[in-house]
Amino acid sequence: MELTRRNFFKFMGAATASAAALPSPAGAWESKAPPDPYGCLVDITRCVGCRKCEEACSKVNDLPEPERPNCQCTIFEKKRRPDHNAFTVINRYFTGRLDEFDKPLPTFTKVQCMHCQDPACVSACIVGALTKDETGSVRYDVTKCIGCRYCMVACPFEIPAYEYDNPITPRVMKCTFCYDIISKQGGVPGCAAICPTETITFGRRSDLLNVAKMRLKENPGKYIDHVYGEKEAGGTSWLYISSVPFEQVNLPVLADTPSPRLAETIQHSLFSYLWSPIALFGALGAIMFKANNHGDKPTDKSGGGK
């Protein structure tokens, strides 16, 4: 049989199927989340849109001053996302709530990196430039980054931003969770420290969940009975409670399964045994060799069999 292109891909398909059928280790995927990291609870009902958190974030991280810092009206006419110049932003939403004069009531929501328990960005980074820290922070090491931007594709919250205007040394930029302030100074993130309405509560994630659930229990008519971030995408270090559906304030509806679980399970299943790729290519080589030899049968050159 001649080893044509079509035959080659037939062999490849058969060999790959055989390799995929190999038994995979039970429980190949394990959560790498720290046991009880720090986090922040955002009570959306308390936010007044003052944008002090944006101002504090820019100072802590040496970022440009927020756009129109003293104007709280026109800035909300457009929806904004965190980018390389702003790690957190406040947006305004009208969700149908009315005041006592039947005028629309705004709902303000802060958005930043959620610092997931099992971050998709960390799983997607092929060089280890992103890591999940014991404090709860997803940290970025610019010295390892190769600019592949897989983290941007993987993030379910669309948070990591790239310095496209920096052609020489571009970085992936996002909220740092004020790592140095928390770990080295024992302090509180800049946004939480400055918030005048105590919209943001900083603490251990387990304590924040208790606080959130207590507020829901004590104010059943005020809040939706759900803590956003408790389970979404496997859980996040930033948690939210709200009086309006979370999708109405641009917090995406996500499954409870950690984003890296499926991809890493497949990887482990295929390559957890050292010999799996070796066996695959060894079998493929043997098939190709046999096919080539089969096509080279000796011919009779006796000229008629005298």
Side-chain angles (χ1 to χ4, degrees):
M1 178 179 65
E2 182 182 357
L3 186 63
T4 63
R5 175 183 173 86
R6 178 176 296 180
N7 288 333
F8 173 79
F9 283 110
K10 284 183 180 179
F11 296 146
M12 177 64 84
T16 302
S18 299
L22 290 172
S24 59
W29 187 86
E30 293 183 1
S31 172
K32 302 176 182 65
D36 192 16
Y38 288 109
C40 283
L41 171 64
V42 179
D43 189 335
I44 293 176
T45 68
R46 298 184 178 186
C47 184
V48 296
C50 69
R51 299 175 61 217
K52 290 293 184 182
C53 54
E54 293 185 23
E55 183 179 352
C57 181
S58 65
K59 289 181 179 178
V60 170
N61 294 287
D62 294 323
L63 298 172
E65 187 178 74
E67 180 184 2
R68 301 178 185 174
N70 298 318
C71 178
Q72 308 305 328
C73 49
T74 58
I75 192 66
F76 292 124
E77 292 177 358
K78 60 180 180 180
K79 295 296 182 291
R80 298 177 298 148
R81 295 289 302 171
D83 59 24
H84 63 286
N85 285 325
F87 291 170
T88 188
V89 296
I90 297 287
N91 282 314
R92 181 184 64 188
Y93 302 90
F94 290 103
T95 62
R97 296 189 309 127
L98 302 174
D99 65 13
E100 58 187 39
F101 302 104
D102 290 334
K103 292 183 178 180
L105 278 173
T107 298
F108 299 96
T109 305
K110 180 184 185 296
V111 61
Q112 71 294 305
C113 174
M114 298 291 282
H115 296 277
C116 303
Q117 288 285 80
D118 286 290
C121 60
V122 172
S123 177
C125 184
I126 60 177
V127 293
L130 289 163
T131 55
K132 178 72 174 179
D133 183 83
E134 69 279 357
T135 65
S137 172
V138 175
R139 301 183 63 192
Y140 171 69
D141 186 345
V142 67
T143 64
K144 295 181 179 180
C145 182
I146 59 174
C148 68
R149 287 161 283 175
Y150 289 166
C151 56
M152 297 172 63
V153 176
C155 177
F157 299 99
E158 301 179 357
I159 291 299
Y162 195 66
E163 289 184 312
Y164 288 104
D165 59 349
N166 182 359
I168 306 301
T169 56
R171 296 169 293 173
V172 172
M173 306 289 279
K174 69 172 195 65
C175 163
T176 63
F177 206 7
C178 293
Y179 171 79
D180 288 340
I181 293 177
I182 294 174
S183 64
K184 299 178 182 179
Q185 302 173 24
V188 176
C191 58
I194 202 172
C195 183
T197 60
E198 297 184 353
T199 296
I200 308 169
T201 304
F202 172 76
R204 291 289 181 180
R205 188 173 185 271
S206 59
D207 295 332
L208 296 176
L209 283 170
N210 290 334
V211 170
K213 292 178 180 180
M214 183 62 68
R215 290 185 191 177
L216 300 187
K217 182 179 179 180
E218 294 178 349
N219 302 276
K222 181 178 181 181
Y223 297 100
I224 290 176
D225 190 17
H226 180 68
V227 181
Y228 189 92
E230 179 181 10
K231 296 181 180 179
E232 277 79 5
T236 60
S237 290
W238 279 75
L239 308 167
Y240 289 75
I241 53 177
S242 171
S243 61
V244 300
F246 295 103
E247 57 268 27
Q248 290 187 11
V249 292
N250 209 31
L251 288 171
V253 177
L254 299 172
D256 295 349
T257 305
S259 300
R261 183 170 186 170
L262 176 60
E264 291 185 9
T265 298
I266 293 173
Q267 293 171 0
H268 288 193
S269 297
L270 288 176
F271 300 108
S272 58
Y273 299 107
L274 178 62
W275 49 264
S276 292
I278 298 174
L280 171 62
F281 290 107
L284 183 60
I287 293 172
M288 292 172 64
F289 179 78
K290 182 177 180 180
N292 282 333
N293 285 347
H294 185 69
D296 293 337
K297 290 183 177 181
T299 58
D300 185 3
K301 298 181 181 180
S302 60
K306 290 183 179 178

